[in-house]
């Protein structure tokens, strides 16, 4: 049995309640969910109403819990009231997700983004975190012009100043990093093999799908945000099928804290730059349709911020079908006839997903053989920047190249084509 110090009671109020997901977030940080408490109407003073707060206090004592986890972001005053009445440490949804991101941030940019989110979250809560400091009065003891700030208020101001200065430093560093990423992204978009991004709700098994498609050996533990950073692998087509790169991205989630939107920067770029988006969802989830809706809405918002370039094609993939009964599989096939059903764990449906990806790429990309005269060698250099070059050799008549490139680009080189390779 877990130590009592790791036990938590989950609480939620209002109409938009998702305690199952909150429980998975808690387990990701090693907390044991000991109990839950809900109410349909949110209280502005203490998040839960007075009667529910008394019920919570009794539940915390009965279960020996040390934490109360709220399914929403709380104001400093709400957190104080709830913590006082519950007799346990209160952590809201935003802070919980920040701690998970903090634990999973690997690269320097991700760590800076999470630190920025943490500081922006903490800044308005300094008074709540140090109430005894703000009560210390100084000098004249009144609130008039002759009053001076006491040491507690001064310390709060020092804390705020330090945090604001650190926020400014981090933002400058991130602007530099974003500029570098933009340059790298432009280079990637300008050439190379077709790009496929695995996107969708968190814990849909995207990393396991990546492993099946590419043979990558990444961790696939059943934790939310197991992969905070993106991972890209090459999938070799062989024969007439083109190679493509596949990227595993951070999963979407309901009520993502606004402070953490920038922590998805690399994931959002991967989705924007992709030729094909595979929208992954957990077929066994009781809220499958809602999770697909959240994923698609997030993608719609993302793609609206793009630079007007061609929108990527989409493939809907329901993973983990090994966890649902046959009648549920039939229902999903009837409701979503275009979706691919897979079990990345067993391999079921993964070949069908691979074929769907190739079919989609074939509708957008073309593999062709071109003969470029020596006197037009600049075209060879241009192709290296815009296409995936499979082979290249010099002949008496010019440079013979086999390349895969977007169909609209292929049409521009029609006069150099030797023969269209089968796609």
């Amino acid at each position: 049995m877990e130590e009592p110090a790791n036990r938590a009671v989950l609480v939620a109020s209002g109409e938009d309640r998702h305690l199952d997901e909150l429980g998975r977030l808690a387990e990701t940080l090693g907390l044991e969910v000991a109990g839950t408490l809900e109410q349909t109407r949110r209280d502005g003073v203490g998040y839960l109403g007075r009667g529910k707060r008394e019920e919570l206090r009794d539940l915390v004592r009965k279960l020996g819990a040390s934490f109360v986890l709220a399914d929403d972001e709380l104001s400093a005053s709400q957190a104080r009231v709830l913590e006082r009445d519950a007799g346990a440490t209160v952590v809201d949804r935003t802070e919980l997700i920040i701690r998970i991101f903090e634990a999973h941030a690997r690269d320097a940019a991700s760590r800076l983004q999470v630190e920025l989110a943490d500081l922006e979250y903490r800044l308005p809560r300094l008074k709540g975190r140090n109430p005894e400091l703000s009560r210390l009065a100084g000098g004249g003891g009144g609130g008039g012009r002759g009053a001076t700030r006491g040491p507690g208020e001064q310390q709060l101001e020092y804390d705020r100043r330090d945090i604001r200065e650190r926020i400014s430093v981090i933002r400058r560093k991130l602007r530099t990093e974003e500029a570098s990423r933009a340059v790298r992204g432009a280079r990637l978009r300008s050439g190379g093999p077709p790009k496929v991004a695995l996107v969708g709700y968190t814990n849909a098994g995207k990393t396991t799908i990546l492993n099946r498609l590419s043979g990558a050996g990444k961790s696939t533990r059943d934790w939310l945000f197991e992969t905070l950073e993106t991972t890209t692998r090459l999938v070799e087509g062989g024969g007439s099928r083109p190679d493509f790169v596949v990227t595993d991205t951070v999963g979407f989630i309901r009520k993502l804290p606004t402070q953490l939107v920038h922590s998805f920067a690399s994931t959002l770029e991967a989705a924007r730059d992709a030729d094909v988006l595979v929208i992954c969802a957990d077929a066994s989830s009781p809220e499958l349709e809602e999770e697909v809706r959240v994923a698609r809405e997030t993608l719609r918002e993302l793609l609206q911020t793009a630079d007007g370039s061609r929108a990527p094609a989409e493939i809907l993939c329901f993973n983990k079908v090994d966890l649902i009964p046959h009648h549920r599989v039939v229902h999903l096939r009837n409701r979503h006839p275009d979706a691919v059903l897979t079990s990345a764990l067993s391999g079921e449906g993964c070949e069908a997903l691979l074929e769907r990806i190739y079919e989609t790429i074939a509708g957008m990309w073309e593999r062709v053989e071109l003969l470029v005269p020596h006197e037009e060698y600049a075209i060879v250099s241009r192709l290296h920047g815009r296409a995936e070059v499979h082979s290249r050799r010099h002949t008496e008549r010019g440079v013979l190249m086999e390349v895969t490139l977007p169909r609209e680009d292929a049409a521009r080189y029609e006069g150099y084509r030797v023969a269209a390779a089968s796609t």
Side-chain angles (χ1 to χ4, degrees), residues 52-277:
K52 281 292 183 180
R53 295 199 300 271
E54 292 175 356
E55 187 179 339
L56 175 62
R57 178 193 61 212
D58 295 339
L59 186 62
V60 165
R61 290 175 178 173
K62 176 183 177 182
L63 298 175
S66 297
F67 295 94
V68 171
L69 307 183
D71 192 39
D72 296 277
E73 182 171 319
L74 304 180
S75 67
S77 60
Q78 285 177 323
R80 282 199 304 272
V81 170
L82 197 58
E83 191 163 88
R84 179 198 67 200
D85 291 351
T89 300
V90 170
V91 179
D92 68 13
R93 182 185 180 91
T94 297
E95 184 171 8
L96 184 65
I97 295 176
I98 287 174
R99 297 296 154 244
I100 293 173
F101 273 49
E102 191 175 58
H104 290 80
R106 299 289 185 266
D107 60 274
S110 294
R111 289 193 293 269
L112 282 174
Q113 288 158 353
V114 174
E115 183 184 356
L116 177 61
D118 184 39
L119 293 174
E120 290 177 336
Y121 172 81
R122 284 200 288 137
L123 185 59
R125 291 168 172 78
L126 281 178
K127 186 173 181 179
R129 294 163 65 93
N130 301 284
E132 71 286 354
L133 297 181
S134 64
R135 287 197 295 267
L136 293 175
R145 296 175 62 88
T148 60
R149 291 179 301 170
E153 289 183 56
Q154 290 175 7
Q155 183 61 55
L156 279 174
E157 187 58 36
Y158 295 152
D159 290 343
R160 290 192 184 97
R161 185 179 64 195
D162 291 344
I163 287 178
R164 290 190 185 104
E165 288 177 355
R166 180 60 182 163
I167 286 175
S168 296
V169 169
I170 293 174
R171 284 177 174 165
R172 285 197 297 271
K173 290 182 177 179
L174 287 176
R175 280 196 294 269
T176 301
E177 173 61 24
E178 286 168 5
S180 298
R181 280 204 311 268
V183 172
R184 293 195 298 268
R187 285 200 297 263
L188 288 172
R189 285 191 297 272
S190 67
K195 301 167 187 65
V196 176
L198 304 179
V199 299
Y201 209 75
T202 190
N203 217 41
K206 296 184 297 297
T207 301
T208 314
I209 294 173
L210 173 79
N211 291 346
R212 281 287 176 182
L213 294 177
S214 67
K218 281 185 63 66
S219 168
T220 57
R221 287 176 290 182
D222 193 27
W223 286 0
L224 271 66
F225 303 114
E226 172 62 18
T227 49
L228 181 56
E229 71 280 2
T230 59
T231 300
T232 299
R233 296 284 185 268
L234 177 68
V235 178
E236 297 181 354
S240 62
R241 300 196 300 187
D243 300 342
F244 67 86
V245 293
V246 58
T247 300
D248 173 25
T249 65
V250 182
F252 304 135
I253 192 170
R254 297 181 191 87
K255 297 189 281 190
L256 178 70
T258 55
Q259 298 95 330
L260 285 169
V261 169
H262 287 297
S263 295
F264 280 79
S266 57
T267 291
L268 302 185
E269 287 170 0
R272 278 200 301 265
D273 298 340
D275 298 290
V276 181
L277 296 177

Side-chain angles (χ1 to χ4, degrees), residues 11 23 107 141 158 174 224-225 306 332 340 352 357 400 414:
V11 298
D107 60 274
Y158 295 152
L174 287 176
L224 271 66
F225 303 114
L332 287 177
V340 180
I357 291 172
L400 187 63
E414 187 66 32

Side-chain angles (χ1 to χ4, degrees), residues 9-13 19 22 37-38 47-48 56 68-71 82:
V9 174
L10 312 183
V11 298
S13 67
L19 285 184
L22 186 66
L37 189 65
E38 298 180 71
Y47 186 61
L48 299 176
L56 175 62
V68 171
L69 307 183
D71 192 39
L82 197 58

